[in-house]
Amino acid sequence: MSAIETAREAWGAELPDWVEVLALECDRTSQNKAAQRIGYAAAAVSTILRRKYGARTDAIEDTVRGCLMRETLACPALGDIGRDECRKWRRKAGAFQNVNSKHVMMYRACNHCPIHLDAREKEAS
C-alpha cells in the first residue's frame, strides 16, 4: 500500500492537506528520505500518516508546510521566511542566548511577534 493510500485510509475525509503532501513526498522518494528532509524520524512520519501520532502535530505541520509546501510567514525581523524557519527561531527565543547579534535580534523580535505570542497561547491551552 502506498503512503497516500495509508493516509487516506487512516484520515478519511478529514485528511489535512499537509499530511497529504507528506504522504505524496514519501511515495515520491521514500519514507526515510521524506523524514530526513523535514528533520523527523521515519517512525514519526509513519505514525502521522496512520493518524496514530500521540502528541501535538503543530511542529511537524509547520515543518511540512515550510519545507515541502513552501509556505512563508511575514517575519518582522527577516521578512518572508518559511514556516519551518519561523518555528526554529520561536523555539530558540524561549531562552536568551548572546551567541551572536542575529540570535539577540531574533530573541527580541520573536518575543514581540504576534505569531510567537499566538503560538504560546495555543500551547498553553
Side-chain angles (χ1 to χ4, degrees):
M1 184 182 300
S2 70
I4 192 63
E5 291 170 337
T6 299
R8 286 181 178 147
E9 185 177 299
W11 289 86
E14 298 175 7
L15 178 65
D17 60 341
W18 66 272
V19 174
E20 183 175 14
V21 168
L22 179 58
L24 291 170
E25 179 68 13
C26 290
D27 285 341
R28 190 181 70 76
T29 58
S30 72
Q31 186 170 299
N32 284 334
K33 287 180 181 175
Q36 286 175 348
R37 186 164 176 205
I38 64 168
Y40 282 87
V45 171
S46 177
T47 55
I48 287 287
L49 297 179
R50 287 173 169 67
R51 200 177 184 178
K52 294 186 178 190
Y53 195 74
R56 295 174 57 118
T57 59
D58 310 29
I60 296 176
E61 179 181 355
D62 279 347
T63 303
V64 169
R65 289 188 182 281
C67 286
L68 302 180
M69 300 171 77
R70 302 284 183 227
E71 287 187 12
T72 60
L73 298 170
C75 173
L78 299 176
D80 285 345
I81 60 173
R83 285 181 64 153
D84 54 321
E85 186 177 353
C86 176
R87 178 166 283 279
K88 287 176 190 174
W89 281 114
R90 287 192 327 247
R91 193 173 38 234
K92 290 177 184 179
F96 181 77
Q97 295 178 10
N98 193 8
V99 177
N100 59 40
S101 60
K102 188 170 185 178
H103 274 79
V104 173
M105 175 185 75
M106 293 307 295
Y107 174 81
R108 290 180 180 143
C110 287
N111 281 296
H112 292 94
C113 177
I115 296 168
H116 184 83
L117 299 175
D118 287 347
R120 279 188 187 168
E121 287 179 14
K122 287 179 185 175
E123 290 172 3
S125 58

